[in-house]
């Protein structure tokens, strides 16, 4: 047994690490995304910030795929006995929705980047080819979709975070603790 894996009562260190690093990354990408769109062409960050946004976004995509694989080959922490069926259903639906929004946001971001047929650089290390390009209005449509999906993801993630804090502060149960400290 090791603390790295999930158990039937708690998340393990790998799941915990990916959860918190992903959470910070999602908030960061959102902030950087909005900020970079406000820059003028002559700003020194005009070229570099989108490069970082896309590279980090692709890293998040890889981490999220790994996360789902890790989730399926691991034990599942059982729902806490004090939670009602409705609470559990709401939480699980929110988690599924977050995964869905993550993939949809990242895919639409990729489609903005590949609209003109250019590949996406992964930290200058290698390039992810433009598999889908040249659809009429692709850049604008994918851009609008990316914007609304990113907002939806932020709102849902914020509600999800508030729910976790409510469990900790008001209900005083183990919900938040077991996403922080394996036991
Ligand atoms: C301050 C913000 C956050 C807090 C306090 C928080 C807290 C938690 C807690 C306590 C759980 C475990 C829930 C359970 O056992 O039923 C959880 C699960 C989860 N969180 Fe967060 N979270 C936050 C932000 C985020 C963000 C930004 C994302 C988006 C990437 C996210 C994605 C998820 C997902 C997908 C799960 C389900 C994990 C699984 O597959 O079992 N969380 N979160
Ligand atoms: C969950 C991850 C992501 C979040 C939360 C996010 C968030 C954002 C936000 C808020 C904007 C500003 C939108 C606007 O003001 O119109 C933006 C822009 C952009 N994002 Fe992302 N993004 C993510 C992942 C990605 C990925 C993976 C890529 C590409 C591989 C990408 C490519 C872009 C591009 C090219 C823009 C410029 C938009 C345009 O030209 O219309 N994003 N992103």
């Amino acid at each position: 047994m090791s603390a790295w894996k999930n158990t039937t009562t708690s998340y393990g260190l790998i799941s915990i690490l990916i959860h918190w690093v992903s959470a910070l990354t999602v908030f960061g990408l959102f902030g950087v995304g909005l900020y970079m769109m406000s820059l003028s062409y002559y700003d020194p960050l005009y070229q570099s910030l989108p490069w970082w946004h896309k590279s980090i976004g692709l890293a998040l995509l890889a981490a999220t795929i790994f996360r789902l694989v890790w989730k399926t080959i691991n034990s599942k922490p059982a729902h806490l006995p004090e939670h009602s069926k409705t609470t559990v259903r709401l939480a699980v639906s929110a988690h599924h929705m977050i995964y869905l929004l993550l993939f949809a946001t990242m895919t639409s971001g990729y489609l903005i980047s590949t609209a003109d047929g250019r590949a996406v650089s992964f930290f200058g290390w290698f390039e992810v080819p433009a598999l889908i390009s040249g659809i009429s209005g692709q850049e604008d449509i994918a851009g609008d979709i990316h914007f609304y999906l990113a907002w939806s993801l932020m709102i849902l993630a914020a509600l999800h975070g508030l729910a976790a804090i409510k469990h900790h502060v008001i209900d005083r149960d183990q919900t938040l603790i077991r996403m922080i400290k394996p036991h």
Side-chain angles (χ1 to χ4, degrees):
M1 265 315 294
S2 84
W4 295 101
K5 295 181 178 171
N6 295 347
T7 67
T8 48
T9 53
S10 173
Y11 288 100
L13 278 178
I14 301 269
S15 301
I16 293 175
L17 250 160
I18 301 184
H19 175 270
W20 293 110
V21 173
S22 299
L24 283 180
T25 306
V26 169
F27 289 128
L29 283 172
F30 185 76
V32 167
L34 289 184
Y35 179 65
M36 72 192 193
M37 295 304 288
S38 73
L39 298 174
S40 80
Y41 182 79
Y42 300 100
D43 195 290
L45 295 175
Y46 183 82
Q47 300 287 343
S48 62
L49 273 190
W51 186 86
W52 283 104
H53 182 85
K54 289 182 260 182
S55 292
I56 295 172
L58 288 177
L60 179 69
L61 175 64
T64 309
I65 292 170
F66 172 80
R67 181 178 186 178
L68 286 179
V69 172
W70 183 250
K71 183 179 162 83
T72 47
I73 60 173
N74 248 256
S75 310
K76 214 165 135 191
H79 305 302
L80 295 173
E82 60 268 41
H83 291 165
S84 71
K85 265 203 173 129
T86 315
T87 305
V88 171
R89 253 186 231 138
L90 259 173
V92 172
S93 319
H95 299 162
H96 289 166
M97 201 59 205
I98 291 178
Y99 283 123
L100 215 85
L101 282 171
L102 277 171
F103 280 112
T105 309
M106 296 184 291
T107 307
S108 56
Y110 169 80
L111 290 174
I112 308 168
S113 318
T114 61
D116 58 3
R118 265 184 290 175
V120 190
S121 167
F122 185 72
F123 298 104
W125 180 23
F126 61 85
E127 304 220 310
V128 178
L131 297 175
I132 301 173
S133 61
I135 299 170
S136 105
Q138 181 172 335
E139 189 168 354
D140 291 341
I141 298 167
D144 283 351
I145 294 176
H146 192 61
F147 176 77
Y148 289 114
L149 286 174
W151 265 107
S152 312
L153 175 60
M154 288 313 290
I155 292 168
L156 184 57
L159 290 174
H160 156 86
L162 283 175
I165 291 166
K166 182 251 180 200
H167 279 288
H168 189 69
V169 176
I170 299 177
D171 307 335
R172 294 175 184 274
D173 63 29
Q174 289 291 309
T175 308
L176 182 58
I177 300 293
R178 67 183 196 165
M179 192 42 112
I180 294 175
K181 190 170 164 281
H183 56 264

